Amino acid sequence: MISVITKRESILSTAAILFRQKGYAATSMRELAEQVGMEAASLYNHISSKEEMLKSICFQVGESYLLHLTEVNQMQAGFREKIARFIHLHLAITIQNIAFVSVANHEWKHLKEENLKTFLEMRKTYEAGVKNILIKGMDSGDFRKMDPSITLYTLLSSLRWVEVWYKENRNISVQELEKNIEHFILNGLST
Amino acid sequence: MISVITKRESILSTAAILFRQKGYAATSMRELAEQVGMEAASLYNHISSKEEMLKSICFQVGESYLLHLTEVNQMQAGFREKIARFIHLHLAITIQNIAFVSVANHEWKHLKEENLKTFLEMRKTYEAGVKNILIKGMDSGDFRKMDPSITLYTLLSSLRWVEVWYKENRNISVQELEKNIEHFILNGLST
DNA sequence: AGAAAAAAAACTAACGGTCGTTAGTTTTTT
DNA sequence: AAAAAACTAACGACCGTTAGTTTTTTTTCT
């Protein structure tokens, strides 16, 4: 089954790459258009604004994260397994959508008004969900008792570098990457 | 002894706060000037360009990091103690210079030409130095053998969230923050 | 100590440039 | 023929910075 990529999707994809590379504010519609192979004014046949692109990218990533959190929560498994699964899914999203994830991680602050507010709420929901797993894991004795917020942010942050660093030509397999990070984090959580 | 803050320092400090908040590219000289309490054109009595400010901020942070790496290397101590000291110093720089560190972490990509090149080299030197400690720690059996680059970036990244999150009114002491993170990282490194 | 001169710093005005986007016109596709 | 998509031209806005002018501060002189 051949997947057809629309012009809009192509524009979004290129936008994400440029936003990641140069930053949202420093990326102009003219250079985006040039990369796509058209004039800037023509972009508006496919997108409604620069802001709309940023929103679309950020919210797609946010929603993927929330979906996967739901999957982890529905697992019948211990907390270590849940965090391991969480790490796996998180890295999978990252590696498959490097540019989108990078933009959602770094450029969200350029969202306007309600978009920003909604995105931050979405993020807060996600973080609370992960924190909940950590807290339960601490209560059950699987994880060492530590300040839940510090633990949460240290964990999430320790995954963040991958979107900066990852390239397909790295001399390392995704499995090894994941195993190393998983070990680091699970040990970090242990008593 | 009363420390006199120059107008230039005040401008740089305010610039760092705004760059952190809005991003370098999205911060105008006019709004920076307004925050400092003057007209944009007057800034040029004290700084030579917008780029020069970004450079100054980034390089001050970079140099602090390198200084502290030197201190850690000169310690007569085991590798666990070295990493613990490294974490302590890293967090200390971060907490005392939130805006500067944040800008150096996120806005460096806006540096131009030679400034960018030099900054990236500086960073490379720093990372190589930390990686060296990790490798030696692995060789000595203090740390588990893992891919050194993955370990390095996971470690550095796990400290990164503090500049986003930290505020003086947090219900947590710096000591507890440090202790929690230190435990996470040292356990993550252990066999 | 006070006045005058010099230097520094602040202001106003404007330059040359870029930006996101809109409004027509033309071309291509349906 | 109609609709969609591409183009050209331009709008209104903002930008970093320079060049004068004015004001303030510092230095020099008596």
Side-chain angles (χ1 to χ4, degrees):
Chain A
M1 186 62 180
I2 300 188
S3 163
V4 177
I5 179 167
T6 66
K7 199 67 180 259
R8 179 185 159 82
E9 282 163 345
S10 169
I11 290 168
L12 276 183
S13 172
T14 305
I17 289 166
L18 287 176
F19 293 166
R20 176 190 185 217
Q21 207 169 16
K22 298 165 172 291
Y24 174 79
T27 301
S28 72
M29 298 297 267
R30 287 167 175 85
E31 62 190 315
L32 170 59
E34 184 178 357
Q35 288 279 55
V36 175
M38 66 173 71
E39 297 294 321
S42 306
L43 292 174
Y44 296 86
N45 284 313
H46 307 277
I47 52 100
S48 59
S49 67
K50 192 179 184 186
E51 165 87 8
E52 189 233 321
M53 290 193 287
L54 181 61
K55 175 186 176 181
S56 184
I57 293 168
C58 291
F59 280 76
Q60 280 182 51
V61 173
E63 277 152 15
S64 294
Y65 280 156
L66 285 173
L67 255 190
H68 284 157
L69 179 63
T70 298
E71 180 183 327
V72 168
N73 276 326
Q74 291 173 348
M75 283 172 74
Q76 306 300 326
F79 297 106
R80 290 182 66 90
E81 281 76 31
K82 285 194 173 189
I83 292 294
R85 181 69 183 161
F86 167 77
I87 292 165
H88 168 77
L89 292 173
H90 195 100
L91 291 179
I93 295 177
T94 299
I95 289 167
Q96 284 159 35
N97 305 274
I98 291 278
F100 271 58
V101 167
S102 188
V103 171
N105 283 345
H106 300 284
E107 305 299 320
W108 57 266
K109 71 178 56 168
H110 297 290
L111 287 171
K112 297 263 171 63
E113 305 164 353
E114 286 305 308
N115 289 336
L116 179 60
K117 188 176 166 189
T118 306
F119 184 76
L120 290 178
E121 281 166 3
M122 181 185 278
R123 189 171 75 177
K124 191 172 175 182
T125 299
Y126 176 68
E127 290 176 351
V130 180
K131 192 173 172 181
N132 189 43
I133 297 171
L134 292 174
I135 289 171
K136 285 186 182 168
M138 290 176 192
D139 289 345
S140 72
D142 288 88
F143 304 141
R144 185 189 187 198
K145 278 203 187 288
M146 290 182 280
D147 178 85
S149 291
I150 298 180
T151 308
L152 170 71
Y153 294 119
T154 305
L155 188 164
L156 292 180
S157 186
S158 67
L159 297 170
R160 273 288 188 83
W161 62 278
V162 175
E163 44 96 349
V164 175
W165 179 88
Y166 188 78
K167 285 176 189 164
E168 290 187 349
N169 60 358
R170 290 290 185 184
N171 298 331
I172 193 153
S173 69
V174 176
Q175 287 73 35
E176 189 178 351
L177 177 68
E178 185 177 311
K179 203 154 83 161
N180 274 250
I181 294 177
E182 184 186 307
H183 170 90
F184 192 104
I185 290 175
L186 287 178
N187 263 24
L189 292 173
S190 65
T191 51
Chain B
M1 185 62 179
I2 302 187
S3 164
V4 177
I5 179 167
T6 66
K7 199 66 181 264
R8 179 185 159 85
E9 282 163 345
S10 169
I11 290 168
L12 276 183
S13 172
T14 305
I17 289 166
L18 286 176
F19 292 166
R20 176 189 184 219
Q21 207 169 18
K22 297 165 174 289
Y24 173 79
T27 302
S28 73
M29 299 297 268
R30 287 168 175 85
E31 62 189 318
L32 169 59
E34 184 178 359
Q35 288 280 55
V36 174
M38 65 173 69
E39 298 295 323
S42 306
L43 292 174
Y44 295 87
N45 285 313
H46 307 277
I47 52 98
S48 60
S49 66
K50 193 179 183 185
E51 166 87 9
E52 189 232 323
M53 288 193 288
L54 182 60
K55 175 185 176 181
S56 184
I57 293 167
C58 292
F59 279 77
Q60 279 182 52
V61 173
E63 278 154 12
S64 296
Y65 280 156
L66 285 173
L67 255 189
H68 284 157
L69 178 62
T70 299
E71 181 184 326
V72 169
N73 276 324
Q74 290 173 346
M75 282 171 76
Q76 307 300 327
F79 296 107
R80 292 183 65 89
E81 280 75 30
K82 286 193 171 188
I83 292 295
R85 181 70 182 161
F86 167 76
I87 292 166
H88 168 77
L89 292 173
H90 195 99
L91 291 179
I93 296 178
T94 300
I95 289 167
Q96 284 160 35
N97 305 275
I98 290 278
F100 271 59
V101 166
S102 188
V103 171
N105 283 345
H106 300 284
E107 304 299 319
W108 56 266
K109 73 178 56 170
H110 296 289
L111 287 170
K112 296 265 171 65
E113 305 163 351
E114 286 304 308
N115 289 337
L116 179 60
K117 188 176 168 189
T118 306
F119 184 76
L120 290 179
E121 282 167 4
M122 182 186 277
R123 189 171 74 178
K124 190 172 178 181
T125 299
Y126 176 69
E127 289 176 350
V130 179
K131 190 175 175 182
N132 190 43
I133 298 173
L134 292 174
I135 288 171
K136 285 187 185 168
M138 289 176 193
D139 289 346
S140 73
D142 286 88
F143 303 142
R144 184 191 187 197
K145 277 202 188 291
M146 289 180 281
D147 179 86
S149 291
I150 298 180
T151 309
L152 169 70
Y153 294 118
T154 305
L155 189 163
L156 292 180
S157 187
S158 67
L159 297 170
R160 273 287 189 80
W161 62 277
V162 175
E163 44 96 351
V164 175
W165 178 89
Y166 188 79
K167 285 175 189 165
E168 289 187 349
N169 59 0
R170 291 288 185 185
N171 299 331
I172 191 152
S173 70
V174 175
Q175 287 74 34
E176 189 178 351
L177 176 67
E178 184 177 312
K179 206 155 83 164
N180 274 249
I181 295 176
E182 184 187 307
H183 170 90
F184 192 105
I185 291 175
L186 287 179
N187 264 23
L189 291 173
S190 66
T191 51

